[in-house]
Amino acid sequence: MVTIKDVARVAKVSPSTVSRVISDHKSISESTKERVRLAMQELGYHPNYIARSLIKCSSHALGLILSRSTESAFSNPFFSEILRGIGKVAQKHQYTLALATAENYKDEAKQGLQMVMERRVDGLILLAPRVNDDLIRELSRNNYPFVVVGRVNGMQHHYAVNNDNIQAAYTAVRHLLNLGHRRIAFLNGPSEYTFCQDRYQGYCMALQEFGVAVDPRYVRNLENHHEDDYRMGKELLKQKPRPTAFFLTDDLMAIGVYRAVKEENLRIPQDVAVVGFNDDAFANLLDPPLTTVQIPIYEMGKTAAEMMIAVLHGKEVTPPQKILSSELIIRESCGAKAR
Amino acid sequence: MVTIKDVARVAKVSPSTVSRVISDHKSISESTKERVRLAMQELGYHPNYIARSLIKCSSHALGLILSRSTESAFSNPFFSEILRGIGKVAQKHQYTLALATAENYKDEAKQGLQMVMERRVDGLILLAPRVNDDLIRELSRNNYPFVVVGRVNGMQHHYAVNNDNIQAAYTAVRHLLNLGHRRIAFLNGPSEYTFCQDRYQGYCMALQEFGVAVDPRYVRNLENHHEDDYRMGKELLKQKPRPTAFFLTDDLMAIGVYRAVKEENLRIPQDVAVVGFNDDAFANLLDPPLTTVQIPIYEMGKTAAEMMIAVLHGKEVTPPQKILSSELIIRESCGAKAR
DNA sequence: ATGAAAGCGCTAACAA
DNA sequence: TTGTTAGCGCTTTCAT
């Protein structure tokens, strides 16, 4: 392994001079810089990131946890899109992204905590906060730096970026109500996630505004697999009276629901209207194209990473909680546009 | 920060003893172990991963590059599934996963090289090898450890895990030929990837076997977005004579193609048969359910990570190149089953 | 403008 | 069984 000492020897300077050349220190003469750089090139030297981390007391890495449940609840396009945003910013600031995978929530919390405790990462970006989140509680108890993508229940002092889930769901459901729908089914994700809770709240708000009671028979929390979307869609369509519209917490659900509707010999949008969430790349290609809520996933990822890095650099971050807004993209899965 | 010295002081032993307790060294008496562990708990001590890495000359991390193009070429379900496999194994062996994101290939190569050169990672797992891959060439030239998921062109000495792309494509196309199709369109990914090359080869082999000439008008290499799948599907359907079947290099393409077929007032499978690739979770929920090639993505990820870690531990890995087999899942998008 | 020396937190010979 | 010591590769005072 080529070290700073080797370079020093070849360039006939001291190790500290080499170190100063690496960080482009002002008080080193151009000629020495040249000489040292030449030696580095000649020897194929590259600074050892670990040695630097040790002395700087910083791994220069951001932690991320991909849980089996996060993955399914959030659906894949969401995950890879937010990752792209986070990665972009991390790259810009020369931060490494450390990814831990976990099979369940307990594991997720353990892995996350371990990453910060062992100093593998300087801070954590959390992707799917729960209504009662152990990991978040532990992190803030120990003052480990973290940024949440989503809303945290009952905590003031933390950093977070989120989209306006309540408002978004409200707008989507209002759209259906405006079109005359009154029996609106809601296929939501697991209720332990705050974003699912928020979307449910938006759903309720809209119904309430139109004087429609929330009928629990029309609301489902899906745990996992896309087969369930299909099954639940079928089940809801068999209810009497059957819902005339579906609000989905994820565009991916539309594939199963579309199929369920067709199998019941019903048509979209004539018999059943559908609104999705996320505006995945394929939403426009479904038949009929899916009306859905577009949220700035990539932007959220970028913002979360920017916040995290700013916090780690001791900068003041205001406001500590940022909400990015979403937009309802109206296509053809609900029929005519509302006036 | 709580260090090993603090623990030593509290437990009234030397730092080396504490170190030995951490690694559960045999020659430490139970009573001392107890005492030290108590002190660790009391002080909230956690071993500093970076300091350990420095002395061990190993970051205990595996590098992974998520390129914008990898992402789209491979499609998302593929990526997150292979990540799950890799993560599972990494976690088992206490390896960190370091993820770099890149916008294009040049960047990808640069990032990958940097990760190993700076010792941020001990080795690299490469996800979408190209026909002429600079990164792979550089890595092997410098003897940096890496494992490839896919096939590498013209290289003997490297580790790789792959699925049988040629065979898989051959089987899929043969299935269509057996059903009587002779004009079979192929929507492939960018030809710079070896896996696309291989699938093309399998496609040609099957046609050849049936004495059907490969007609370039029916073969397309798609670069990127799902909108293209739809557009290309449309375009191919307008050809005279029009293809009676589609072979897709990715299930996600089916969404756009299904739409294109419907818009031309054609039916699947009566007028046009479709075979996909990957067996994504939603393939079974399309209308009609998609016949597709199922490849063991999760297994491939696990295998690649196991290989990488074995190599890093200096173990002999035989065979250095592993091929996992795939299976054609016959559903309803091609009509009656072949005899 | 440059060098000498100490030390980041840990491990691993070598002693005892 | 345990302690002493040196050092991993780098940065950073403090000298010069």
Side-chain angles (χ1 to χ4, degrees), chain B residues 31-63:
Chain B
S31 64
T32 326
K33 278 188 183 169
E34 277 303 290
R35 201 145 38 88
V36 171
R37 289 204 178 108
L38 211 74
M40 297 204 298
Q41 199 132 40
E42 189 184 319
L43 295 172
Y45 170 80
H46 290 277
N48 184 319
Y49 153 84
I50 291 171
R52 180 180 284 182
S53 293
L54 180 58
I55 209 161
K56 289 265 171 89
C57 282
S58 148
S59 61
H60 226 85
L62 264 32

Side-chain angles (χ1 to χ4, degrees), chain A residues 20-320:
Chain A
R20 281 186 266 247
V21 172
I22 292 169
S23 50
D24 205 25
H25 201 281
K26 35 194 125 195
S27 67
I28 299 286
S29 75
E30 271 310 315
S31 65
T32 330
K33 276 187 184 169
E34 277 304 289
R35 202 145 38 86
V36 171
R37 287 200 180 112
L38 211 74
M40 297 204 296
Q41 199 132 39
E42 189 184 321
L43 295 172
Y45 170 81
H46 290 276
N48 184 317
Y49 152 84
I50 291 171
R52 181 179 282 181
S53 293
L54 180 59
I55 209 162
K56 290 266 171 86
C57 282
S58 148
S59 61
H60 232 244
L62 264 32
L64 224 66
I65 309 157
L66 170 58
S67 158
R68 187 114 171 71
S69 60
T70 308
E71 190 191 6
S72 49
F74 259 65
S75 93
N76 292 310
F78 183 98
F79 177 73
S80 79
E81 192 61 12
I82 201 143
L83 199 58
R84 216 165 57 77
I86 294 172
K88 176 81 180 177
V89 172
Q91 185 188 351
K92 188 175 104 192
H93 295 271
Q94 298 260 62
Y95 268 76
T96 299
L97 240 48
L99 198 82
T101 56
E103 292 294 318
N104 52 55
Y105 180 62
K106 224 185 135 189
D107 197 26
E108 193 180 330
K110 196 185 121 213
Q111 300 258 344
L113 221 47
Q114 190 173 322
M115 283 204 287
V116 283
M117 287 190 317
E118 295 185 344
R119 313 272 167 200
R120 278 171 198 258
V121 300
D122 292 344
L124 239 35
I125 297 181
L126 304 178
L127 288 188
R130 318 215 161 198
V131 173
N132 203 314
D133 201 301
D134 292 340
L135 177 53
I136 292 180
R137 201 175 316 108
E138 272 308 293
L139 289 173
S140 45
R141 205 170 63 77
N142 295 288
N143 280 313
Y144 287 121
F146 67 97
V147 169
V148 176
V149 177
R151 182 177 62 78
V152 179
N153 238 3
M155 263 188 57
Q156 319 300 322
H157 306 295
H158 68 280
Y159 300 97
V161 48
N162 199 4
N163 69 297
D164 54 345
N165 277 309
I166 300 177
Q167 178 64 36
Y170 168 80
T171 306
V173 175
R174 230 183 92 100
H175 177 64
L176 291 168
L177 288 159
N178 274 330
L179 291 169
H181 296 281
R182 289 301 177 266
R183 295 191 303 279
I184 302 174
F186 182 20
L187 259 48
N188 201 0
S191 53
E192 72 234 47
Y193 293 111
T194 56
F195 77 90
C196 292
Q197 217 181 41
D198 290 354
R199 290 179 193 174
Y200 180 65
Q201 192 183 329
Y203 168 81
C204 293
M205 269 171 55
L207 290 181
Q208 211 158 26
E209 190 180 302
F210 278 71
V212 179
V214 174
D215 188 336
R217 291 180 309 144
Y218 294 144
V219 179
R220 298 295 152 94
N221 291 95
L222 301 191
E223 286 304 325
N224 225 321
H225 207 274
H226 298 314
E227 291 287 345
D228 291 344
D229 312 337
Y230 164 68
R231 249 195 308 276
M232 280 302 164
K234 275 252 208 286
E235 203 177 301
L236 286 163
L237 289 169
K238 292 245 165 80
Q239 303 253 14
K240 312 228 173 217
R242 69 166 168 72
T244 64
F246 278 82
F247 175 42
L248 314 175
T249 208
D250 192 323
D251 284 355
L252 272 173
M253 290 174 167
I255 297 175
V257 168
Y258 271 43
R259 179 173 173 80
V261 172
K262 277 174 201 161
E263 283 188 6
E264 293 298 312
N265 287 316
L266 297 169
R267 293 156 306 165
I268 302 173
Q270 296 89 336
D271 305 311
V272 179
V274 181
V275 176
F277 216 105
N278 277 4
D279 194 28
D280 285 339
F282 64 82
N284 193 29
L285 296 174
L286 292 174
D287 179 30
L290 183 66
T291 290
T292 184
V293 178
Q294 184 182 68
I295 57 182
I297 306 178
Y298 178 72
E299 280 306 319
M300 285 166 71
K302 275 177 68 171
T303 308
E306 291 284 14
M307 280 174 94
M308 183 78 268
I309 291 173
V311 168
L312 293 174
H313 288 185
K315 291 188 193 137
E316 206 188 337
V317 176
T318 48

Side-chain angles (χ1 to χ4, degrees), chain B residues 157-172:
Chain B
H157 306 294
H158 68 280
Y159 300 97
V161 47
N162 198 5
N163 68 296
D164 54 346
N165 277 309
I166 300 178
Q167 178 65 37
Y170 169 79
T171 306

